Amino acid sequence: MPIHEKSLIRPENLQVHEKLEVEGVDVSGHWSTFIESRVVTDYNEAMEDEIAALPGGEYIHRCWQCGSCTNSCTVHALNPDFNPRYWIYLIRMGMESELLRDKEIIWQCVSCNKCTYACPRDVVPEGVMKATSHWLELKGHTPKSHSMIFDEIFSEQVFKTGKIEDGRTVRRFFKRTGQALRQPWLEEMVKRLLRNLPIGMLTRMGMANFITPKTKGWSGARDAIEEYVAEQESHHRQALRLDDLVEAARKEL
Amino acid sequence: MSEKREKYKEVAYYPGCALEGSGHAYNRSTKALGKKLGLKLKEVENWNCCGAMEVKNIDPKIQTYLSSRVMSIAANKMNMDVVMAPCNGCYHNLKKAEYDLANDQKSVDVVDKISKKAGHETYKSGQVETIHALDWVKETIGEEGLKERVKNSLDGVKIANYYGCMYTRPRHIFPEKDAGAGSESTSKPHFMDDLLEAAGAENVDFPLKTACCGGAHTLSDCDTSTKLVANILQAAEAAGAEVIATECPTCHSGLEMHQIRAEKTMGLKTSVKIIYFTQLLGMALGLKPKAVGLHENISDSFDFVKTKGLA
């Protein structure tokens, strides 16, 4: 894989004077190009602790920046901006505004666990990616990603009945994300699936739409799980000071 | 080896949700294969979802609980000491729960609290051993046993063996792998290669055995998944494979779906067939294509198996 060169000079930090004369010499245009100096002052010192308080982020402090995670990363190979090592660095430094530049792609981690396999410090970078995506959503920096919506639909069903039925999960996902089910590739897939299926199978599949698969006697487990999840959510709200955020926003309004 | 050979002959069978839906062909072929080989599968009674990737993302400890309940039933209700899960996701999650319950007191406490409220015995680490369908066939029948039983050799079938992510990563939840002679490797897995080769197949040198198919985002980030699957399909074809053998329902349907999507959205047409290893072994042992659920695959390989003398 080629080494990814990243320009450290951003266009918005370049200054060019259309008309500039210095000691009688005209240095207009690109002769006067310089980079605006920047002193970082906007650290968010709480960011590492907040992300460490979310499931998966617990071991972020162990990172020593070797880069094995990024080097092994499936998504990095498709998009060089997807850089777990760099994000872990930013989080530990508290450089929130830099992290937010990549906020739209962090959720794309595919959980292949190549990073966790390669990491010599047991940071569990895959977990850190999940915790960071949750943090971005909880703090209101990004809307819920499609991945998060899928996880929620799936988990709701498991918590309620103990099992999932995949057709139903898919339909709910498309509905909740406002996507049409009639997409050419999906239709082609169904067409090919139906080609060899006997009638009996089709009836069985059709019935699954009406009869939800269930684990018997699940209500005890359901209540216990829901209680635990609510408890955890309240811990996370506290750790991320979300109520303070809401209060501050209310005052501003 | 021989100890496992006896131990795995009768196991608690945990199909999981996918095998009752999109991965039904894997369920059918696993059961048919077991029957053909004289191996006994006792389905885990009243099982629940293992938690999959999705519940793990919401809260990892709930996933640990869900997986522990399955193992608790196998151990405490059915008196079994081995759980066999053909789905990589289920297999991975049960292994992960086993690891967490052996090493993390917080997980033990959460699982105990929820189990008591749910009204069943708390699973204790070490009560069962979780194995994959590959371990099951490899240890009980093995290459020699398969060779003796083959009716329709897979002779002339060129196969890329695809194991995916969850079967090997992360290493620490699979203490029995990378453990010397006879054990599975996490960097270059070979159990599926060994079994299919014993059934006569020609395994190609496939570099993406443990690459990711993007299964976690197969619907929520379609473009990424299509690109990842396209890589796998093209690499398999470049290596000369006619078939990609799979051992995970999420990988399998991901490959099938995105093979079509790559064709429709990227104009990339590939013809490599996607078939579960249990289907291939079943047909090699003389089972009819329908008996191993070939009709339940999206990737249509009826004509292909006929030309190879498997139908």
Side-chain angles (χ1 to χ4, degrees):
Chain A
M1 196 196 307
I3 292 171
H4 171 52
E5 286 182 38
K6 194 168 182 170
S7 173
L8 294 171
I9 303 167
R10 291 178 183 143
E12 66 268 27
N13 292 338
L14 286 180
Q15 288 216 343
V16 185
H17 291 268
E18 287 304 321
K19 268 256 166 273
L20 187 67
E21 207 182 287
V22 179
E23 293 174 5
V25 183
D26 180 14
V27 289
S28 306
H30 73 265
W31 289 104
S32 73
T33 302
F34 63 94
I35 306 162
E36 199 175 1
S37 71
R38 180 166 180 252
V39 177
V40 180
T41 52
D42 57 343
Y43 291 98
N44 176 355
E45 308 279 6
M47 187 160 58
E48 181 181 3
D49 288 343
E50 289 181 358
I51 288 175
L54 296 175
E58 296 90 342
Y59 307 118
I60 187 170
H61 63 280
R62 293 173 175 172
C63 177
W64 62 1
Q65 289 290 301
C66 72
S68 295
C69 49
T70 297
N71 189 43
S72 61
C73 178
T74 297
V75 187
H76 177 75
L78 296 177
N79 176 7
D81 286 337
F82 193 96
N83 195 336
R85 181 207 59 80
Y86 180 55
W87 295 331
I88 291 173
Y89 169 77
L90 295 178
I91 294 164
R92 299 204 59 206
M93 294 290 284
M95 296 171 84
E96 185 175 6
S97 55
E98 286 295 305
L99 183 78
L100 293 182
R101 299 176 70 91
D102 290 329
K103 65 180 182 178
E104 306 297 343
I105 60 171
I106 296 174
W107 69 273
Q108 286 183 302
C109 161
V110 288
S111 296
C112 69
N113 271 317
K114 285 188 179 175
C115 52
T116 302
Y117 185 94
C119 178
R121 304 288 284 184
D122 204 11
V123 171
V124 194
E126 183 267 344
V128 176
M129 294 303 105
K130 292 295 155 197
T132 307
S133 316
H134 283 185
W135 183 84
L136 288 167
E137 291 173 9
L138 288 169
K139 285 281 187 177
H141 292 305
T142 52
K144 268 183 195 169
S145 68
H146 278 189
S147 167
M148 184 63 178
I149 295 172
F150 193 87
D151 291 344
E152 284 181 349
I153 292 170
F154 189 104
S155 300
E156 277 164 19
Q157 214 176 330
V158 174
F159 295 171
K160 215 168 119 195
T161 64
K163 287 184 180 181
I164 65 141
E165 191 273 301
D166 40 21
R168 184 186 306 257
T169 314
V170 171
R171 283 194 307 279
R172 280 190 189 163
F173 171 72
F174 275 84
K175 199 174 165 202
R176 210 176 284 183
T177 52
Q179 300 181 80
L181 257 176
R182 296 186 70 93
Q183 300 196 27
W185 67 276
L186 271 175
E187 287 184 344
E188 178 67 23
M189 195 181 91
V190 174
K191 213 165 79 193
R192 291 197 199 176
L193 179 66
L194 298 184
R195 190 169 38 198
N196 294 317
L197 279 184
I199 296 294
M201 269 292 286
L202 293 178
T203 319
R204 195 180 63 83
M205 284 166 70
M207 290 302 278
N209 291 333
F210 304 105
I211 306 162
T212 319
K214 276 190 181 97
T215 304
K216 275 178 261 149
W218 187 249
S219 59
R222 180 197 61 207
D223 294 347
I225 289 172
E226 280 171 358
E227 189 184 323
Y228 177 78
V229 170
E231 215 175 87
Q232 290 305 304
E233 272 173 8
S234 125
H235 286 322
H236 300 156
R237 286 190 73 82
Q238 255 175 351
L240 270 58
R241 295 168 295 123
L242 292 185
D243 296 329
D244 297 353
L245 265 181
V246 173
E247 192 53 39
R250 199 174 286 145
K251 271 185 192 150
E252 250 176 60
L253 281 173
Chain B
M1 200 73 133
S2 62
E3 187 199 327
K4 282 182 182 171
R5 175 159 294 199
E6 284 312 308
K7 199 176 169 193
Y8 295 175
K9 274 188 177 159
E10 186 176 327
V11 295
Y13 176 51
Y14 177 45
C17 305
L19 267 67
E20 291 202 332
S22 52
H24 193 260
Y26 197 18
N27 197 355
R28 189 189 294 274
S29 53
T30 301
K31 285 182 182 166
L33 188 63
K35 205 170 165 198
K36 189 81 184 167
L37 294 171
L39 305 172
K40 223 171 170 189
L41 295 176
K42 287 171 83 176
E43 187 160 328
V44 175
E45 293 161 15
N46 194 30
W47 52 264
N48 55 275
C49 168
C50 70
M53 186 85 76
E54 287 77 4
V55 175
K56 188 274 290 170
N57 290 344
I58 300 289
D59 194 299
K61 291 201 171 50
I62 300 291
Q63 180 262 302
T64 307
Y65 163 70
L66 290 167
S67 294
S68 82
R69 181 184 177 277
V70 173
M71 296 192 281
S72 171
I73 294 171
N76 301 318
K77 277 209 156 165
M78 300 168 67
N79 216 12
M80 302 295 284
D81 54 4
V82 180
V83 176
M84 189 276 274
C87 166
N88 275 5
C90 299
Y91 166 71
H92 175 103
N93 276 346
L94 265 54
K95 290 293 224 190
K96 184 171 167 287
E98 179 67 42
Y99 178 85
D100 286 347
L101 292 174
N103 294 288
D104 174 40
Q105 190 55 42
K106 257 194 210 161
S107 298
V108 175
D109 296 343
V110 171
V111 164
D112 187 48
K113 198 172 151 195
I114 300 179
S115 300
K116 287 206 170 99
K117 283 186 187 162
H120 60 81
E121 264 187 72
T122 305
Y123 175 75
K124 304 231 164 23
S125 79
Q127 281 191 294
V128 298
E129 179 188 2
T130 299
I131 63 169
H132 191 271
L134 283 171
D135 301 310
W136 175 61
V137 182
K138 173 103 172 164
E139 301 292 354
T140 51
I141 307 296
E143 291 94 308
E144 291 311 312
L146 274 176
K147 275 181 198 159
E148 287 163 19
R149 292 170 172 82
V150 166
K151 290 222 172 71
N152 304 319
S153 168
L154 300 178
D155 185 24
V157 183
K158 297 193 182 70
I159 298 180
N161 290 274
Y162 178 58
Y163 298 80
C165 304
M166 313 284 274
Y167 177 69
T168 54
R169 286 189 298 266
R171 183 192 276 117
H172 63 261
I173 65 171
F174 305 111
E176 70 285 4
K177 289 180 180 160
D178 299 328
S183 70
E184 180 61 300
S185 157
T186 58
S187 58
K188 287 195 174 79
H190 53 82
F191 276 17
M192 187 158 50
D193 291 68
D194 298 346
L195 296 174
L196 291 170
E197 191 184 305
E202 184 189 326
N203 293 318
V204 303
D205 191 8
F206 182 47
L208 299 186
K209 282 180 181 191
T210 66
C212 177
C213 71
H217 292 165
T218 201
L219 289 171
S220 51
D221 188 7
C222 286
D223 290 342
T224 298
S225 299
T226 303
K227 280 182 212 156
L228 292 172
V229 168
N231 277 345
I232 293 164
L233 300 172
Q234 284 179 301
E237 291 195 346
E242 302 160 297
V243 174
I244 295 179
T246 55
E247 44 119 346
C248 166
T250 309
C251 299
H252 183 97
S253 15
L255 292 182
E256 288 186 320
M257 268 171 61
H258 291 282
Q259 184 174 39
I260 295 172
R261 195 166 182 276
E263 196 180 314
K264 292 279 166 196
T265 63
M266 295 166 66
L268 176 83
K269 199 168 160 53
T270 46
S271 57
V272 63
K273 308 293 176 201
I274 298 143
I275 309 178
Y276 287 108
F277 87 96
T278 41
Q279 295 181 306
L280 289 163
L281 286 183
M283 288 186 287
L285 296 175
L287 292 171
K288 295 268 174 272
K290 283 205 173 163
V292 293
L294 210 64
H295 55 296
E296 292 171 294
N297 291 355
I298 298 172
S299 166
D300 187 359
S301 39
F302 273 99
D303 291 341
F304 174 78
V305 300
K306 245 179 235 162
T307 61
K308 297 289 176 183
L310 298 173

